[in-house]
Amino acid sequence: MLNRNRIVTAAVELIEREGADAVSMRRIAAELGVGVMSLYNHVPSKAALLDAVAEDVLSRIGFTDDPSAHWTDRVRIQARAFRRIAHHYPRSTMVVVSRQLGSTAGLLPVERALATLRDAGFDGREAVRMLRMFIAYVVGSLLREVGVTPTFAPVRAGAAIADVDPALFPVVSELRPHLDSCDHDEEFEFGLELLVQAMAVRADARADRGTGEPTGRGGARR
Amino acid sequence: MLNRNRIVTAAVELIEREGADAVSMRRIAAELGVGVMSLYNHVPSKAALLDAVAEDVLSRIGFTDDPSAHWTDRVRIQARAFRRIAHHYPRSTMVVVSRQLGSTAGLLPVERALATLRDAGFDGREAVRMLRMFIAYVVGSLLREVGVTPTFAPVRAGAAIADVDPALFPVVSELRPHLDSCDHDEEFEFGLELLVQAMAVRADARADRGTGEPTGRGGARR
DNA sequence: ATTGACGTACGTACAGCGTACGTGACACGC
DNA sequence: GCGTGTCACGTACGCTGTACGTACGTCAAT
């Protein structure tokens, strides 16, 4: 029996196996041993199917939020959980990111994150801002990592900027060794730490403003 | 006379006017009053054309780098220059971001940015890391701002989470007002400032390690 | 002046795409 | 038996990217 879930799953598998460009309704139907138009009994359009793929991937984010842990650690854990899924479905992640989906599929992560930020002492306005900034960083990082690299972040070792003129780009050519190699884990953790500590500074500033004296509350660990 | 530049320009205009989905070789040819296959005398394939579009947009980034200014201000200016182009060619920006281009078109911004970071006192390894983190944030922000929707819909999470169950998502539903509205300029500047200051802290830490005593050098202004 | 090579624009053709529409098989409450 | 739905299917239409063959201009060498 054909159903929406089987179709979405087949789409995700096909995307991961052969890339997003290989996805067509005919291809998915063939994958399921089914006529093309049968898919349309369960999915209104190809665009809707891709939205469903995005939701499916998002819903796989596994959170083990521990409210008793320090909020900075909770932030780290949530960011890494997101990243882990992205690495598990790298090509589908591009679909997720390049698609504006208007559903509640990605709402659970948002709920968890906002709760964490509220626990950190931020008011509603600040919490939302922090979250937006954080998502921007994580999504941008994943874009670089996953391979469909955004502008000027030469990740592919070697060939990308193989022939740079030292006269035109002295600094780039001097830093070529660092530009050519990229330890994704390390890069991600570096930015993550920078952001978390920056957030902690803001949290402390809030606390100071609130109590009138400096406290350690809300500070970053490490 | 047909040439590569006219084709790329027509493609950019078409993308901005009707969205990336509307782009087809036939459409562009019609726009130029030309046969479809004539395009292939100047562009090897549609994919290559889209790469050229990405390069074209990137090359339009106008930098007025002032090496005498404080490095934090130079970072701010460069980030805003990138963002300005993205807002001028919003739909093409999605093409830029979702496409891995291996040319030197985007290398000038990298050169400027790395030079700025070196001036801030970072060594090569740190400068590259800072740049990667910064690009991740900027690209992620632009993805949120520009969206992918065909229509200019500034509200991101507005109608999407219109019907959220307060019992399931208490924090989200409490912060709905803040989630529904989004001043993109303000959000971007907020994250930008947070990042710049975090970078300044690192720069100071470097300076302290170097001199053995705290200094104000490299600190963030404001 | 003639010839040949070459670059450019064009038209045709093909395989593949998303999907609107109609058809037939089966299960159900009356 | 009989509407009434649901579901899989096949056909068909208007698109897509692009391979291929053709025709015409210009220029170099003969």
Side-chain angles (χ1 to χ4, degrees), chain A residues 72-173:
Chain A
T72 53
D73 281 334
R74 290 166 68 192
V75 167
R76 293 187 185 97
I77 286 172
Q78 290 176 28
R80 292 183 192 126
F82 191 10
R83 182 164 176 264
R84 186 172 310 118
I85 289 302
H87 282 190
H88 205 276
Y89 304 94
R91 306 173 117 148
S92 302
T93 298
M94 291 309 302
V95 176
V96 176
V97 151
S98 65
R99 186 155 280 272
Q100 181 153 358
L101 66 156
S103 86
T104 61
L107 219 50
L108 182 57
V110 172
E111 172 72 19
R112 297 271 174 82
L114 286 177
T116 302
L117 292 170
R118 293 303 301 267
D119 288 350
F122 297 113
D123 65 24
R125 180 190 184 80
E126 286 169 324
V128 169
R129 283 227 264 234
M130 291 289 178
L131 176 61
R132 289 207 172 113
M133 184 209 57
F134 213 79
I135 290 178
Y137 168 70
V138 172
V139 167
S141 297
L142 293 182
L143 263 178
R144 164 164 48 75
E145 291 188 31
V146 151
V148 185
T149 312
T151 64
F152 44 60
V155 188
R156 271 303 210 267
I161 55 173
D163 51 348
V164 352
D165 183 355
L168 287 175
F169 306 108
V171 185
V172 165
S173 113

Side-chain angles (χ1 to χ4, degrees), chain A residues 11-23 27 31 91:
Chain A
V12 172
E13 286 174 3
L14 182 57
I15 290 175
E16 292 307 323
R17 189 157 19 95
E18 306 196 21
D21 288 345
V23 173
R27 196 80 173 65
E31 211 81 14
R91 306 173 117 148

Side-chain angles (χ1 to χ4, degrees), chain A residues 29-56:
Chain A
E31 211 81 14
L32 292 166
V34 131
V36 192
M37 292 315 289
S38 306
L39 303 177
Y40 285 89
N41 288 322
H42 308 272
V43 164
S45 70
K46 185 187 181 183
L49 171 56
L50 291 181
D51 283 341
V53 165
E55 288 182 30
D56 189 62

